[in-house]
Amino acid sequence: MAGNNSVVVFAQRQVNDRVIIVQILVLFFLCINLLLIVIFFKKECFYTTTRYILFAVTLLSDSLLLLVADILLIFVYFQYSIQVWLCIIITIPLILYITVTPVTLTAMTLERYVAICMPLRHAELCSTRSTMNCILIIHCISFVPCIILSLFFASASRSFYEQQVVCSVEVFMLHIWQEHVRSAVNQLYFLIMCSTIVFSYIKIMKVARAASGENRKSTQKGLKTVMLHGFQLLLCLIQLWCPFIESAVLKIDFTLFVNVRYFNYIVFYIAPRCLSPLIYGLRDETFFLAFISLFKRNPV
């Protein structure tokens, strides 16, 4: 009996440790993102340049996603139930901004493709006005998965909205066809974004081989940036498959399901959100100098 109690206590402590680790990671990345957003608004060259504007969109998107996802994690951990209508309000931004980040990364990759492969048209295609239109298009594309959630409204009774539930996206999947539509949309997004990354990489690589001197150095740096975007995008896109993996694992063993879900959350939800500050906060010389100057008495 004492041995069983020890096992239960250890399991509870392990879960508590996991939640604490997640809170530390989320708080750390939120602080980093907030700092980078402050730097973004400090210099005019950042909020008038396409790639930095799109970078700021990913920072805001990732910050909101981390915050909302963490709130839902705490709700699930403490089994705190809320009414369905309130769950809908919380879930819609979550679904939207899960998609905004990979779509924005795809747009950033295309911006690098235009800058390197079509330099004469870069100023025209990547103006501030065009960037604002691009952000609007990104959010429209990202809102498509929310339409699947709206299908729930037509199939749920009015009394269902007043029920108390532990909030998660799965609450709204009342019918198997909703899961199928969700799967089809995610796979379509996966295919289009991967194709765009591969296309841009191949085109930039051809230009890099033909370039020489400073142009070659600049092109090689752009190629590395696209590779990092590709890796970040891959992690973001894999998270679209996580619900299906978790559903399959849940049918096998619940403890394994908890472990897999925790792993997916750390690797495919939190990790991709730390790569944006790495790519532009440390690798980009202009942003890095602005970051350093923030801690000096006489900013650059």
Side-chain angles (χ1 to χ4, degrees):
M1 189 70 177
N4 291 338
N5 288 337
S6 298
V7 172
V8 171
V9 170
F10 175 77
Q12 289 177 342
R13 184 178 63 82
Q14 187 180 32
V15 173
N16 286 331
D17 289 347
R18 287 180 173 183
V19 172
I20 292 171
I21 290 171
V22 169
Q23 300 311 306
I24 293 172
L25 289 174
V26 169
L27 182 61
F28 175 75
F29 290 128
L30 283 177
C31 290
I32 292 294
N33 286 356
L34 181 61
L35 179 62
L36 293 177
I37 290 169
V38 170
I39 293 172
F40 171 78
F41 286 106
K42 284 277 186 181
K43 299 189 74 174
E44 185 180 355
C45 67
F46 293 143
Y47 55 81
T48 56
T49 306
T50 297
R51 60 186 175 129
Y52 293 122
I53 295 173
L54 294 177
F55 170 54
V57 171
T58 63
L59 289 177
L60 292 169
S61 169
D62 291 344
S63 299
L64 183 60
L65 179 61
L66 284 173
L67 184 62
V68 175
D70 190 50
I71 291 172
L72 290 181
L73 175 72
I74 293 171
F75 282 180
V76 170
Y77 177 70
F78 290 106
Q79 290 295 293
Y80 182 78
S81 59
I82 59 177
Q83 290 189 339
V84 173
W85 66 268
L86 182 57
C87 183
I88 293 172
I89 295 174
I90 296 174
T91 305
I92 286 178
L94 182 68
I95 296 174
L96 174 64
Y97 285 103
I98 279 177
T99 314
V100 162
T101 293
V103 175
T104 306
L105 287 173
T106 305
M108 292 170 78
T109 301
L110 288 174
E111 187 274 333
R112 287 293 83 198
Y113 162 73
V114 172
I116 294 170
C117 299
M118 306 167 62
L120 298 179
R121 298 200 62 194
H122 183 261
E124 175 192 350
L125 296 175
C126 299
S127 63
T128 305
R129 182 182 178 86
S130 298
T131 305
M132 295 299 108
N133 293 333
C134 179
I135 293 172
L136 179 61
I137 293 170
I138 286 170
H139 281 77
C140 289
I141 293 172
S142 302
F143 193 75
V144 172
C146 296
I147 297 174
I148 300 172
L149 182 62
S150 69
L151 298 175
F152 156 80
F153 303 145
S155 56
S157 62
R158 183 175 298 180
S159 60
F160 185 79
Y161 294 99
E162 298 177 358
Q163 292 182 16
Q164 296 284 333
V165 296
V166 177
C167 189
S168 69
V169 178
E170 285 72 21
V171 170
F172 308 109
M173 299 297 153
L174 301 180
H175 306 287
I176 190 65
W177 61 266
Q178 290 174 311
E179 287 283 357
H180 291 162
V181 173
R182 181 187 180 191
S183 174
V185 171
N186 287 343
Q187 290 181 48
L188 179 63
Y189 275 37
F190 187 92
L191 178 63
I192 293 173
M193 293 178 194
C194 284
S195 300
T196 304
I197 289 288
V198 172
F199 169 80
S200 300
Y201 182 82
I202 292 173
K203 289 291 186 180
I204 293 174
M205 188 167 58
K206 288 181 179 179
V207 173
R209 287 179 177 176
S212 60
E214 286 298 318
N215 288 336
R216 185 179 182 84
K217 184 179 178 181
S218 176
T219 305
Q220 289 289 350
K221 186 176 181 180
L223 193 62
K224 290 178 182 178
T225 301
V226 171
M227 289 176 64
L228 285 171
H229 281 326
F231 178 67
Q232 186 180 8
L233 186 61
L234 178 64
L235 293 179
C236 289
L237 292 176
I238 289 176
Q239 82 182 22
L240 299 177
W241 293 81
C242 289
F244 312 113
I245 297 171
E246 292 166 4
S247 297
V249 171
L250 181 59
K251 297 175 182 177
I252 300 172
D253 182 70
F254 182 75
T255 303
L256 180 61
F257 164 77
V258 172
N259 292 332
V260 168
R261 193 162 211 182
Y262 179 75
F263 175 82
N264 288 343
Y265 185 74
I266 295 293
V267 175
F268 301 124
Y269 280 83
I270 294 182
R273 272 76 204 172
C274 77
L275 288 179
S276 287
L278 175 66
I279 293 172
Y280 280 98
L282 297 179
R283 286 189 72 251
D284 187 272
E285 185 178 352
T286 307
F287 216 95
F288 182 71
L289 290 175
F291 179 82
I292 296 297
S293 68
L294 194 67
F295 299 96
K296 293 181 178 179
R297 290 185 178 180
N298 299 315
V300 176

